[in-house]
Amino acid sequence: MMKDNWGRVLGLAAMVALTGCNTTGVSDPNVRHYRQDTINDTHPRARLVLGSADLVGRIALVDVRMGDVGGLARAEVSAQNLTNDRYTLEYMIRWEDRQGFDIKDNPVWKRFVLGPREIKSFQSVAGNPDAYAITMTVRLPDDIFIHQEKSTR
């Protein structure tokens, strides 16, 4: 009898394990990415990305505003420090057309500092009349000179 129960437990455990392996986490085949707490795509024309899970709950990207200026799309996003710490960060804004393809406008990383509880707004005007939506990414700086300096000490 004990042997029968042990077999049932093993069978149930195997079934649970196999079921877990078969789930993909994607219920809609048209999803462009997996849901993560580092990505906010609640605004229809903006995808806001925190480049590190360490920033979740510490830095918030908020208040997306979209408009037009001279026939070009314009966007504004605010970064808010939710802590009492000072952060040196970088951001990049990439423009996309209505179909979601990147507009090749050669964006660059720009460094900024957020003091405790500070809010800063960032604006971008698209350089292409086909631009419609943005992806704004904020990350901790990945500076090769910082890494070299730490490793030589």
PDB file of all heavy atoms in Angstrom, residues 70-90:
ATOM      1  N   GLY A  70       5.677  71.044 -35.927  1.00  0.00           N
ATOM      2  CA  GLY A  70       6.143  71.232 -37.305  1.00  0.00           C
ATOM      3  C   GLY A  70       6.028  69.979 -38.159  1.00  0.00           C
ATOM      4  O   GLY A  70       6.899  69.715 -38.986  1.00  0.00           O
ATOM      5  N   GLY A  71       5.003  69.154 -37.954  1.00  0.00           N
ATOM      6  CA  GLY A  71       4.828  67.941 -38.740  1.00  0.00           C
ATOM      7  C   GLY A  71       5.647  66.752 -38.266  1.00  0.00           C
ATOM      8  O   GLY A  71       5.632  65.696 -38.882  1.00  0.00           O
ATOM      9  N   LEU A  72       6.368  66.916 -37.169  1.00  0.00           N
ATOM     10  CA  LEU A  72       7.164  65.822 -36.588  1.00  0.00           C
ATOM     11  C   LEU A  72       6.603  65.445 -35.225  1.00  0.00           C
ATOM     12  O   LEU A  72       6.089  66.293 -34.491  1.00  0.00           O
ATOM     13  CB  LEU A  72       8.628  66.243 -36.439  1.00  0.00           C
ATOM     14  CG  LEU A  72       9.375  66.575 -37.723  1.00  0.00           C
ATOM     15  CD1 LEU A  72      10.749  67.161 -37.400  1.00  0.00           C
ATOM     16  CD2 LEU A  72       9.506  65.349 -38.601  1.00  0.00           C
ATOM     17  N   ALA A  73       6.717  64.164 -34.888  1.00  0.00           N
ATOM     18  CA  ALA A  73       6.246  63.692 -33.589  1.00  0.00           C
ATOM     19  C   ALA A  73       7.180  64.187 -32.486  1.00  0.00           C
ATOM     20  O   ALA A  73       8.390  64.306 -32.677  1.00  0.00           O
ATOM     21  CB  ALA A  73       6.176  62.173 -33.580  1.00  0.00           C
ATOM     22  N   ARG A  74       6.579  64.470 -31.341  1.00  0.00           N
ATOM     23  CA  ARG A  74       7.340  64.908 -30.169  1.00  0.00           C
ATOM     24  C   ARG A  74       6.895  64.086 -28.972  1.00  0.00           C
ATOM     25  O   ARG A  74       5.712  63.782 -28.820  1.00  0.00           O
ATOM     26  CB  ARG A  74       7.091  66.387 -29.907  1.00  0.00           C
ATOM     27  CG  ARG A  74       7.851  66.909 -28.701  1.00  0.00           C
ATOM     28  CD  ARG A  74       7.757  68.394 -28.596  1.00  0.00           C
ATOM     29  NE  ARG A  74       6.508  68.757 -27.938  1.00  0.00           N
ATOM     30  CZ  ARG A  74       6.210  69.989 -27.544  1.00  0.00           C
ATOM     31  NH1 ARG A  74       7.039  70.978 -27.794  1.00  0.00           N
ATOM     32  NH2 ARG A  74       5.074  70.251 -26.950  1.00  0.00           N
ATOM     33  N   ALA A  75       7.841  63.721 -28.120  1.00  0.00           N
ATOM     34  CA  ALA A  75       7.537  62.931 -26.931  1.00  0.00           C
ATOM     35  C   ALA A  75       8.220  63.536 -25.717  1.00  0.00           C
ATOM     36  O   ALA A  75       9.289  64.136 -25.829  1.00  0.00           O
ATOM     37  CB  ALA A  75       8.010  61.497 -27.120  1.00  0.00           C
ATOM     38  N   GLU A  76       7.573  63.353 -24.569  1.00  0.00           N
ATOM     39  CA  GLU A  76       8.161  63.743 -23.298  1.00  0.00           C
ATOM     40  C   GLU A  76       7.857  62.642 -22.284  1.00  0.00           C
ATOM     41  O   GLU A  76       6.739  62.151 -22.214  1.00  0.00           O
ATOM     42  CB  GLU A  76       7.593  65.066 -22.797  1.00  0.00           C
ATOM     43  CG  GLU A  76       8.197  65.505 -21.469  1.00  0.00           C
ATOM     44  CD  GLU A  76       7.668  66.855 -21.015  1.00  0.00           C
ATOM     45  OE1 GLU A  76       6.617  66.868 -20.343  1.00  0.00           O
ATOM     46  OE2 GLU A  76       8.299  67.871 -21.329  1.00  0.00           O
ATOM     47  N   VAL A  77       8.883  62.258 -21.534  1.00  0.00           N
ATOM     48  CA  VAL A  77       8.752  61.249 -20.482  1.00  0.00           C
ATOM     49  C   VAL A  77       9.510  61.765 -19.268  1.00  0.00           C
ATOM     50  O   VAL A  77      10.582  62.357 -19.399  1.00  0.00           O
ATOM     51  CB  VAL A  77       9.341  59.884 -20.927  1.00  0.00           C
ATOM     52  CG1 VAL A  77       9.223  58.857 -19.808  1.00  0.00           C
ATOM     53  CG2 VAL A  77       8.662  59.380 -22.184  1.00  0.00           C
ATOM     54  N   SER A  78       8.961  61.515 -18.088  1.00  0.00           N
ATOM     55  CA  SER A  78       9.634  61.917 -16.854  1.00  0.00           C
ATOM     56  C   SER A  78      10.218  60.696 -16.162  1.00  0.00           C
ATOM     57  O   SER A  78       9.620  59.617 -16.168  1.00  0.00           O
ATOM     58  CB  SER A  78       8.654  62.609 -15.905  1.00  0.00           C
ATOM     59  OG  SER A  78       8.202  63.818 -16.471  1.00  0.00           O
ATOM     60  N   ALA A  79      11.388  60.889 -15.569  1.00  0.00           N
ATOM     61  CA  ALA A  79      12.025  59.868 -14.735  1.00  0.00           C
ATOM     62  C   ALA A  79      11.940  60.366 -13.301  1.00  0.00           C
ATOM     63  O   ALA A  79      12.282  61.512 -13.010  1.00  0.00           O
ATOM     64  CB  ALA A  79      13.474  59.659 -15.145  1.00  0.00           C
ATOM     65  N   GLN A  80      11.483  59.489 -12.413  1.00  0.00           N
ATOM     66  CA  GLN A  80      11.297  59.863 -11.017  1.00  0.00           C
ATOM     67  C   GLN A  80      12.104  58.938 -10.117  1.00  0.00           C
ATOM     68  O   GLN A  80      12.012  57.717 -10.223  1.00  0.00           O
ATOM     69  CB  GLN A  80       9.820  59.778 -10.642  1.00  0.00           C
ATOM     70  CG  GLN A  80       9.530  60.174  -9.215  1.00  0.00           C
ATOM     71  CD  GLN A  80       8.042  60.137  -8.899  1.00  0.00           C
ATOM     72  OE1 GLN A  80       7.228  59.756  -9.724  1.00  0.00           O
ATOM     73  NE2 GLN A  80       7.695  60.550  -7.701  1.00  0.00           N
ATOM     74  N   ASN A  81      12.894  59.536  -9.235  1.00  0.00           N
ATOM     75  CA  ASN A  81      13.650  58.792  -8.236  1.00  0.00           C
ATOM     76  C   ASN A  81      12.712  58.558  -7.049  1.00  0.00           C
ATOM     77  O   ASN A  81      12.244  59.498  -6.426  1.00  0.00           O
ATOM     78  CB  ASN A  81      14.887  59.582  -7.814  1.00  0.00           C
ATOM     79  CG  ASN A  81      15.778  58.815  -6.858  1.00  0.00           C
ATOM     80  OD1 ASN A  81      15.394  57.800  -6.309  1.00  0.00           O
ATOM     81  ND2 ASN A  81      16.974  59.335  -6.647  1.00  0.00           N
ATOM     82  N   LEU A  82      12.435  57.313  -6.733  1.00  0.00           N
ATOM     83  CA  LEU A  82      11.520  56.964  -5.651  1.00  0.00           C
ATOM     84  C   LEU A  82      12.231  56.770  -4.318  1.00  0.00           C
ATOM     85  O   LEU A  82      11.596  56.432  -3.323  1.00  0.00           O
ATOM     86  CB  LEU A  82      10.767  55.677  -6.012  1.00  0.00           C
ATOM     87  CG  LEU A  82      10.003  55.714  -7.335  1.00  0.00           C
ATOM     88  CD1 LEU A  82       9.444  54.337  -7.653  1.00  0.00           C
ATOM     89  CD2 LEU A  82       8.914  56.769  -7.314  1.00  0.00           C
ATOM     90  N   THR A  83      13.558  56.994  -4.296  1.00  0.00           N
ATOM     91  CA  THR A  83      14.352  56.718  -3.101  1.00  0.00           C
ATOM     92  C   THR A  83      15.002  57.993  -2.563  1.00  0.00           C
ATOM     93  O   THR A  83      14.883  59.069  -3.151  1.00  0.00           O
ATOM     94  CB  THR A  83      15.476  55.707  -3.408  1.00  0.00           C
ATOM     95  OG1 THR A  83      16.483  56.355  -4.198  1.00  0.00           O
ATOM     96  CG2 THR A  83      14.950  54.492  -4.146  1.00  0.00           C
ATOM     97  N   ASN A  84      15.740  57.831  -1.494  1.00  0.00           N
ATOM     98  CA  ASN A  84      16.538  58.925  -0.935  1.00  0.00           C
ATOM     99  C   ASN A  84      17.989  58.848  -1.391  1.00  0.00           C
ATOM    100  O   ASN A  84      18.846  59.541  -0.847  1.00  0.00           O
ATOM    101  CB  ASN A  84      16.459  58.901   0.598  1.00  0.00           C
ATOM    102  CG  ASN A  84      15.076  59.284   1.089  1.00  0.00           C
ATOM    103  OD1 ASN A  84      14.428  60.162   0.536  1.00  0.00           O
ATOM    104  ND2 ASN A  84      14.611  58.601   2.123  1.00  0.00           N
ATOM    105  N   ASP A  85      18.267  58.004  -2.380  1.00  0.00           N
ATOM    106  CA  ASP A  85      19.610  57.857  -2.928  1.00  0.00           C
ATOM    107  C   ASP A  85      19.776  58.726  -4.172  1.00  0.00           C
ATOM    108  O   ASP A  85      18.805  59.110  -4.813  1.00  0.00           O
ATOM    109  CB  ASP A  85      19.879  56.392  -3.300  1.00  0.00           C
ATOM    110  CG  ASP A  85      19.809  55.473  -2.087  1.00  0.00           C
ATOM    111  OD1 ASP A  85      20.267  55.883  -1.004  1.00  0.00           O
ATOM    112  OD2 ASP A  85      19.280  54.356  -2.226  1.00  0.00           O
ATOM    113  N   ARG A  86      21.017  58.998  -4.509  1.00  0.00           N
ATOM    114  CA  ARG A  86      21.360  59.746  -5.728  1.00  0.00           C
ATOM    115  C   ARG A  86      21.768  58.736  -6.792  1.00  0.00           C
ATOM    116  O   ARG A  86      22.567  57.837  -6.524  1.00  0.00           O
ATOM    117  CB  ARG A  86      22.513  60.693  -5.422  1.00  0.00           C
ATOM    118  CG  ARG A  86      22.926  61.578  -6.547  1.00  0.00           C
ATOM    119  CD  ARG A  86      24.005  62.556  -6.041  1.00  0.00           C
ATOM    120  NE  ARG A  86      24.408  63.454  -7.077  1.00  0.00           N
ATOM    121  CZ  ARG A  86      25.469  63.265  -7.853  1.00  0.00           C
ATOM    122  NH1 ARG A  86      26.247  62.225  -7.672  1.00  0.00           N
ATOM    123  NH2 ARG A  86      25.766  64.130  -8.790  1.00  0.00           N
ATOM    124  N   TYR A  87      21.238  58.868  -8.006  1.00  0.00           N
ATOM    125  CA  TYR A  87      21.537  57.942  -9.097  1.00  0.00           C
ATOM    126  C   TYR A  87      22.143  58.666 -10.286  1.00  0.00           C
ATOM    127  O   TYR A  87      21.648  59.717 -10.698  1.00  0.00           O
ATOM    128  CB  TYR A  87      20.266  57.242  -9.584  1.00  0.00           C
ATOM    129  CG  TYR A  87      19.798  56.143  -8.685  1.00  0.00           C
ATOM    130  CD1 TYR A  87      18.875  56.390  -7.681  1.00  0.00           C
ATOM    131  CD2 TYR A  87      20.285  54.847  -8.832  1.00  0.00           C
ATOM    132  CE1 TYR A  87      18.439  55.378  -6.853  1.00  0.00           C
ATOM    133  CE2 TYR A  87      19.855  53.831  -8.001  1.00  0.00           C
ATOM    134  CZ  TYR A  87      18.935  54.105  -7.019  1.00  0.00           C
ATOM    135  OH  TYR A  87      18.511  53.096  -6.194  1.00  0.00           O
ATOM    136  N   THR A  88      23.214  58.097 -10.825  1.00  0.00           N
ATOM    137  CA  THR A  88      23.743  58.503 -12.117  1.00  0.00           C
ATOM    138  C   THR A  88      23.248  57.457 -13.101  1.00  0.00           C
ATOM    139  O   THR A  88      23.507  56.261 -12.932  1.00  0.00           O
ATOM    140  CB  THR A  88      25.275  58.555 -12.104  1.00  0.00           C
ATOM    141  OG1 THR A  88      25.685  59.534 -11.136  1.00  0.00           O
ATOM    142  CG2 THR A  88      25.822  58.928 -13.473  1.00  0.00           C
ATOM    143  N   LEU A  89      22.522  57.902 -14.111  1.00  0.00           N
ATOM    144  CA  LEU A  89      21.871  57.001 -15.063  1.00  0.00           C
ATOM    145  C   LEU A  89      22.125  57.461 -16.483  1.00  0.00           C
ATOM    146  O   LEU A  89      22.654  58.556 -16.711  1.00  0.00           O
ATOM    147  CB  LEU A  89      20.359  56.970 -14.796  1.00  0.00           C
ATOM    148  CG  LEU A  89      19.931  56.535 -13.400  1.00  0.00           C
ATOM    149  CD1 LEU A  89      18.487  56.912 -13.137  1.00  0.00           C
ATOM    150  CD2 LEU A  89      20.137  55.048 -13.229  1.00  0.00           C
ATOM    151  N   GLU A  90      21.721  56.640 -17.430  1.00  0.00           N
ATOM    152  CA  GLU A  90      21.757  56.997 -18.850  1.00  0.00           C
ATOM    153  C   GLU A  90      20.393  56.694 -19.449  1.00  0.00           C
ATOM    154  O   GLU A  90      19.702  55.775 -18.998  1.00  0.00           O
ATOM    155  CB  GLU A  90      22.810  56.164 -19.594  1.00  0.00           C
ATOM    156  CG  GLU A  90      24.217  56.469 -19.166  1.00  0.00           C
ATOM    157  CD  GLU A  90      25.248  55.587 -19.866  1.00  0.00           C
ATOM    158  OE1 GLU A  90      24.909  54.459 -20.278  1.00  0.00           O
ATOM    159  OE2 GLU A  90      26.396  56.034 -19.989  1.00  0.00           O
TER     160      GLU A  90
END
